[in-house]
Amino acid sequence: MNSTSRAAQRLKLFSGAFFNNKKTVFRPAFTRSFANMAATTDVKNYKFNHSMIRVKDPKESVKFYEFLGMSLLKKLSFPEAKFDLYFLGYDAPGAVSSGANLWDREGLIELTHNYGTETDDSYKINNGNVEPHRGFGHTCISVDNLQAACQRLEDAGFKFQKKLSDGRMKHIAFALDPDGYWVEIIGRKPVEETENLKETDLKTYRMNHTMLRVKDAEKSLKFYQEVLGMKLVRTHEAKEAGFNLYFLGYGDEKQNTADREGLLELTWNYGTEKDENFSYHNGNDQPQGFGHICVSVDNIEAACERLEGLDVNWKKRLTDGRMKNVAFVLDPDGYWIELVQNERFTGQSNF
């Protein structure tokens, strides 16, 4: 049996762990009491916690993201279901979320490794940027000195989808991680100010945003703002190129977007909303790659009750399956959004 077949079986097991009470013996390691939790939920307390991507070889992927300055904050192992989760983020003293608990942060990356893929030469990740399986686009880090940061990556032998010198857009680059996922690199200062600087400080880096392509901008903006409580912090219209970019997030919408962590970028290509047959790949159908984004909330039960009242589409309710500590809703394009309890509001560990 090749790893693609094994991965499909593991997906079934993983799905059973989430969605079916009878097909698996996979159990969470804890039981939560909500006795001391507030009876309501406030979207002002929500955080865009992480973005999940599947990886072939966790050693190579962790090495890459650590080279970008991230720290491995937590590893969760589920040997019964044959997968591990690695959570990485910026944690230097000056980092936005430095010292916070895992679920009280924004701008994390979750790497999911299904056992055995690292030894299968035929296993390949869908990076979300190749037709006909486009959907997820990239993650993005913002850096102090853009040219120096890119040169450091190039000197270390990492590959690029787009270097600063490529094309007309000289203020962005796209590096490639070991699985071919695109990592955008932007500077927090004008490129003219940093072109002669040769040093870069990893302690100043931030995981700025995650990009998803959407079919209907109006529907997606309504969902992320009215349902999930995000704020629209910036809009970029590229009319000649036929697309718009929308940046959303929690917190202060007046803060410079390049200085922030945990933003969501929605890319809308004009006209897709008019095509009834058009759809984006959600990353969880085959071929797989991107998995989900995650929002941490103040009260997981109250948050889910609120969403029930808003008539959302569910992938997994809290009451489904054996894992009663997470839920998944679907956005208008079928992307999965995980909901998880922020431990700061309970004083109890999620896992």
Side-chain angles (χ1 to χ4, degrees), residues 106-158:
E106 294 196 296
L108 300 182
I109 291 182
E110 175 190 352
L111 308 180
T112 294
H113 171 235
N114 292 296
Y115 299 173
T117 55
E118 71 279 11
T119 59
D120 185 350
D121 292 338
S122 66
Y123 183 80
K124 185 178 180 181
I125 290 291
N126 166 31
N127 71 5
N129 290 301
V130 179
E131 293 288 9
H133 305 300
R134 294 203 309 163
F136 165 77
H138 60 260
T139 56
C140 172
I141 63 170
S142 62
V143 302
D144 53 353
N145 303 322
L146 181 59
Q147 295 90 338
C150 290
Q151 189 62 53
R152 175 177 175 270
L153 281 168
E154 190 171 350
D155 290 346
F158 291 108

Side-chain angles (χ1 to χ4, degrees), residues 240-260:
E240 293 184 359
F243 68 88
N244 287 358
L245 307 178
Y246 304 93
F247 294 85
L248 302 102
Y250 297 106
D252 183 7
E253 67 268 31
K254 296 181 181 179
Q255 185 180 3
N256 186 334
T257 54
D259 291 332
R260 297 189 55 168

Side-chain angles (χ1 to χ4, degrees), residues 1-10 116-117 120-123:
M1 182 183 297
N2 60 33
S3 67
T4 301
S5 299
R6 291 196 300 270
Q9 287 190 348
R10 283 193 290 274
T117 55
D120 185 350
D121 292 338
S122 66
Y123 183 80

Side-chain angles (χ1 to χ4, degrees), residues 300-338:
I300 187 68
E301 287 190 335
C304 288
E305 288 177 4
R306 173 181 173 271
L307 292 174
E308 285 280 9
L310 294 173
D311 198 28
V312 300
N313 293 319
W314 293 91
K315 182 65 182 178
K316 177 206 175 295
R317 289 179 168 86
L318 280 178
T319 53
D320 296 336
R322 297 185 181 274
M323 295 191 74
K324 308 300 185 184
N325 57 327
V326 296
F328 285 85
V329 298
L330 300 175
D331 88 345
D333 287 281
Y335 295 117
W336 297 15
I337 302 162
E338 182 181 16

Side-chain angles (χ1 to χ4, degrees), residues 4 21 32 36 42-43 47 64 75 90 95-96 123 125 166 168 178 184 187 209 233 247 283 303 315 349:
T4 301
N21 286 324
R32 174 184 287 114
N36 297 321
D42 187 343
V43 296
K47 293 179 180 289
F64 172 82
K75 177 184 176 182
Y90 289 104
V96 177
Y123 183 80
I125 290 291
D166 297 336
R168 297 181 179 179
E184 184 179 12
H209 70 255
V233 299
F247 294 85
K315 182 65 182 178
S349 176

Side-chain angles (χ1 to χ4, degrees), residues 2 16 28 77-78 83 89-90 95 104 128 174 199 216 219 241 317:
N2 60 33
S77 295
F78 300 92
F83 69 90
Y90 289 104
D104 196 30
F174 286 88
E199 301 296 327
D216 189 318
K219 290 181 179 179
R317 289 179 168 86

